[in-house]
Amino acid sequence: DLDGAVAAASRICTAIAERQIIVADSKVISVTASIGAKCHSGEKTLEELVNHADRKLYAAKKNGKNLVISQL
């Protein structure tokens, strides 16, 4: 269900944000994730479902870092 997907995506975002990534010259960087969540709700094709999820992903990116969007 969508609530479960959003909860899982939020846990993923938190886990990613809490990690420190060590890159060249021992420099430490932080990484965040933006996730768009969508459950099937009448889409006729897989492509349509993926396009809806993709729009949510880009909305999450546009509205901030470390964010999950399931509604537009």
Side-chain angles (χ1 to χ4, degrees):
D1 71 4
L2 187 57
D3 290 337
V6 170
S10 293
R11 288 191 302 273
I12 292 167
C13 284
T14 298
I16 290 170
E18 289 175 348
R19 293 212 174 239
Q20 293 184 334
I21 310 297
I22 300 172
V23 294
D25 300 325
S26 299
K27 184 183 271 187
V28 177
I29 63 171
S30 297
V31 177
T32 61
S34 297
I35 299 175
K38 175 73 171 105
C39 286
H40 184 273
S41 62
E43 292 83 9
K44 293 180 180 169
T45 66
L46 177 60
E47 182 178 5
E48 195 176 322
L49 177 67
V50 170
N51 284 339
H52 288 168
D54 199 43
R55 283 198 299 270
K56 288 171 180 34
L57 167 63
Y58 282 99
K61 288 180 174 186
K62 182 179 178 182
N63 288 302
K65 296 179 179 180
N66 208 31
L67 187 62
V68 177
I69 297 250
S70 61
Q71 303 290 329
L72 287 178

